[in-house]
């Protein structure tokens, strides 16, 4: 029996309800073709679920579905799990097909995965068909974005010109001026407990000073992602909030759900590479600063090996590590970078490289100021007399917040929205002044001159940290000498340079569930390549 639909005829011929038999599945040989890779992902999914009636068009979707239904990566589904899922999927598919879905060239499962990013599976299982239909209409733009060749639109520089409001405009609002723009910030921690929140708070205050009576700004601390973030957003929207900045990547799911309920509110999340047109994201392009720190490390290090303490293997971090390694190599061709991860079990959030006496220079955690009790921020030099911070990358949140609010006030935001239905991610660097490097005054004048000149060339587009041939740790060429990687390739980079010791860890190696969730949301190891997306 070569075709499944012949089984009924066989049973009828024998006059039996069932007959014993052996099923042999013919499996194609593994290739790099998109359909082949998705098929092998399906086989792994089928072993755990015994579900064979759904299909995706993108790499990694079966694993995402396993997470969406709150199952561990290797957890086997029960009979009840299968019955519940079939009931929900059947209802969802019927409503998806009613919405002219044939024109989208998407599978029902593709759309269902988007749906489950807005509505928790535990809730979605109880949605009746009319409710599913209404919810689908709310997020239809999110579903349609899957048909775009490039789901994420990276904005590498601001579209508006940074103009200061006049003193008269700040002090005396005119009769024709609109009411103050109502802006709210949601932070996972407080400024007292977190340097991250403190830096965002400084950016918020600077933005408030820039626009004066044109804006009214409120902030809310100690919001727990996945617990009370959505409720707090609903509350502040009822109070009149028009713009919401959330400074934790873990708040993205709540941002999506809130955006579906309140499409009139502009919602932004501090993250990057987020393929959702209803929520914009923003982040500094830190690899440019890391290249300069790598150069400085190569100049001052007494040995060929320097240390690099990384936080999380998420979007943009491999580019920063590799740029640091390339900056090191620019001044010390034989230089190597030893990478260790503060997020791994046993690291306790701090790495001191005490077991490596050959490492005297370390790129540590980025902080908002040059001094932070208990930690050595930025690029640190260790000597017998102690440690000294030599330089520090600067995250200019004030620049980012000023430019975004200016775009909202002058109408640039709406024009960007009209130009594309893609997800808009702001990823600004040294040209926009969103990224900078602060050096200690004790550096030799010649070294400072060299570093400042390199920084000016990066900002002007005259120096590309990733120029020339690049090879990964396996020795394979990942970029030819004449190739010019775009922002997407740098942002989604999931490999390390050949002069880097260490690797990119997986989410399940993280020290705690919160970090694992962050890596699942923003991690580079599960991201499809651009070639896979082109095939899709």
């Amino acid at each position: 029996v070569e075709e499944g639909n012949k089984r009924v005829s066989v049973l009828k011929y024998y006059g039996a309800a069932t007959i014993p038999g052996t099923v042999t599945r013919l499996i194609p040989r593994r290739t790099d073709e998109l359909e082949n890779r998705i098929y092998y992902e399906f086989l792994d999914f089928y072993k755990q679920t015994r579900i064979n009636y759904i299909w995706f068009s993108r790499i990694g979707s079966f694993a995402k579905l396993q997470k969406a239904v709150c199952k561990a990566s290797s957890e086997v589904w029960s009979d009840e799990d299968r019955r519940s899922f079939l009931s929900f999927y059947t209802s969802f598919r019927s409503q998806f097909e009613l919405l002219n879905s044939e024109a989208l060239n998407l599978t029902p499962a593709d759309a269902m995965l988007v749906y489950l990013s807005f509505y928790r599976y535990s809730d979605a299982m109880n949605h009746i068909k009319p409710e599913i239909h209404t919810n689908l209409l709310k997020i239809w733009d999110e579903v349609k974005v899957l048909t775009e060749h490039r789901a994420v639109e990276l904005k590498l520089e601001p579209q508006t010109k940074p103009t200061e409001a006049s003193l008269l405009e700040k002090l005396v609002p005119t009769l024709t001026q609109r009411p103050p723009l109502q802006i709210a910030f949601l932070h996972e921690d407080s400024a007292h407990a977190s340097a991250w929140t403190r830096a965002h708070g400084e950016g918020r205050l600077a933005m408030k000073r820039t626009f004066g009576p044109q804006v009214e700004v409120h902030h809310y601390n100690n919001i727990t992602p996945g617990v009370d973030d959505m409720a707090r957003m609903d509350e502040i929207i009822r109070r009149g909030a028009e713009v919401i900045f959330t400074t934790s990547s873990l708040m993205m799911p709540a941002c999506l759900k809130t955006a579906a309920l309140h499409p009139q509110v502009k919602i932004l999340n501090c993250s990057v590479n987020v393929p959702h047109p209803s929520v914009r994201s923003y982040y500094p392009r830190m690899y440019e600063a890391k290249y300069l720190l790598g150069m400085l490390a190569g100049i001052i290090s007494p040995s060929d090996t320097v240390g690099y303490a990384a936080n999380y293997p998420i979007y943009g971090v491999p580019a920063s590590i590799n740029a640091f390694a390339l900056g090191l190599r620019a001044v010390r061709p034989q230089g190597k970078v030893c990478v260790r991860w503060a997020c791994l079990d046993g690291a306790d959030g701090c790495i001191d490289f005490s077991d490596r006496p050959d490492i005297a220079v370390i790129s540590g955690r980025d902080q908002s100021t040059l001094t932070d009790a208990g930690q050595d921020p930025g690029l640190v030099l260790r000597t017998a007399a102690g440690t000294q911070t030599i330089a520090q990358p600067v995250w200019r949140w004030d620049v980012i917040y000023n430019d975004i609010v200016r775009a909202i006030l002058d109408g640039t935001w709406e024009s960007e929205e009209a130009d594309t239905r893609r997800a808009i991610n702001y990823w600004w660097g040294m040209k926009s002044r969103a990224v900078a490097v602060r050096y200690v005054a004790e550096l030799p004048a010649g070294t400072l001159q060299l570093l400042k000149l390199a920084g000016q060339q990066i900002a002007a587009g005259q120096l590309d940290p990733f120029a020339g041939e690049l090879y990964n740790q396996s020795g394979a060429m990942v970029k030819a000498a004449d190739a010019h990687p775009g922002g997407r390739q740098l942002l989604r980079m999931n490999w390390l340079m050949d002069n880097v010791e260490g690797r990119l860890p997986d989410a399940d190696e993280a020290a705690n569930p919160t970090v694992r969730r962050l890596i699942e949301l923003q991690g580079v190891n599960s991201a499809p390549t651009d070639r896979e997306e082109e095939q899709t």
Side-chain angles (χ1 to χ4, degrees), residues 71 236 356 454:
K71 295 290 185 183
I236 63 178
R356 291 291 300 268

Side-chain angles (χ1 to χ4, degrees), residues 5-27:
N5 61 8
K6 296 294 192 296
R7 286 175 293 179
V8 174
S9 300
V10 173
L11 295 176
K12 184 178 180 180
Y13 178 83
Y14 281 102
T18 63
I19 57 172
T22 300
V23 177
T24 301
R25 183 185 295 275
L26 302 180
I27 299 175

Side-chain angles (χ1 to χ4, degrees), residues 210-483:
T210 297
F211 294 100
Q214 292 179 282
V215 298
E216 185 173 319
V217 184
H218 303 274
H219 69 280
Y220 305 84
N221 294 332
N222 300 313
I223 308 298
T224 304
V227 177
D228 62 346
D229 47 358
M230 186 173 177
R232 295 302 293 275
M233 280 188 246
D234 286 338
E235 175 188 338
I236 63 178
I237 288 172
R238 286 196 299 272
R239 294 178 182 176
E242 300 170 271
V243 183
I244 298 176
F245 291 96
T246 55
T247 62
S248 168
S249 299
L250 294 173
M251 294 186 191
M252 175 55 79
C255 290
L256 291 173
K257 295 178 178 69
T258 303
L261 295 172
H262 305 280
Q264 80 283 3
V265 179
K266 297 173 174 62
I267 300 177
L268 301 99
N269 181 255
C270 186
S271 55
V272 75
N273 199 47
V274 178
H276 297 287
S278 60
V279 176
R280 299 192 187 186
S281 68
Y282 59 97
Y283 214 77
R285 206 160 61 241
M286 292 308 299
Y287 74 81
E288 296 176 342
K290 296 293 185 177
Y291 180 83
L292 299 176
L293 293 180
M295 289 181 63
L296 179 55
I299 293 171
I300 66 174
S301 176
S303 70
D304 287 338
T305 304
V306 300
Y308 192 109
N311 282 345
Y312 315 113
I314 58 177
Y315 293 120
V317 171
S320 291
I321 297 172
N322 289 334
F324 183 87
L326 287 165
L328 173 69
R329 178 176 281 174
V331 298
R332 190 186 287 253
Q334 68 276 25
K336 292 185 179 298
V337 179
C338 176
V339 174
R340 293 183 177 176
W341 297 89
C343 64
L344 298 187
D345 193 16
D348 297 325
C350 184
I351 299 173
D352 60 8
F353 291 91
S354 58
D355 62 325
R356 291 291 300 268
D358 59 319
I359 294 179
V361 176
I362 301 167
S363 176
R365 285 190 169 189
D366 304 340
Q367 297 291 330
S368 59
T369 62
L370 275 174
T371 57
D372 198 344
Q375 285 190 323
D376 294 318
L379 192 71
V380 175
L381 173 63
R382 297 191 302 182
T383 65
T387 61
Q388 178 189 4
T389 295
I390 304 299
Q392 168 168 12
V394 180
W395 303 55
R396 292 289 306 275
W397 297 114
D398 57 323
V399 170
I400 293 176
Y401 289 135
N402 282 350
D403 286 329
I404 291 175
V405 171
R406 186 176 294 110
I408 294 172
L409 291 173
D410 69 13
T412 304
W413 175 287
E414 280 72 18
S415 65
E416 288 178 337
E417 207 165 51
D419 289 342
T420 178
R421 70 182 183 192
R422 298 174 185 173
I424 294 178
N425 288 207
Y426 303 111
W427 198 38
W428 295 337
M430 298 184 75
K431 181 178 180 180
S432 66
R433 299 178 298 109
V435 174
V437 180
R438 185 183 299 136
Y439 304 101
V440 295
E442 294 81 1
L443 283 179
T447 300
L448 276 173
Q449 185 178 21
L450 172 65
L451 293 169
K452 289 182 178 179
L453 177 61
Q456 291 169 2
Q457 290 180 327
I458 290 175
Q462 298 168 347
L463 173 59
D464 178 5
F466 293 96
E469 291 183 356
L470 300 182
Y471 294 84
N472 64 18
Q473 291 173 314
S474 301
M477 181 189 291
V478 290
K479 189 189 83 67
D482 58 348

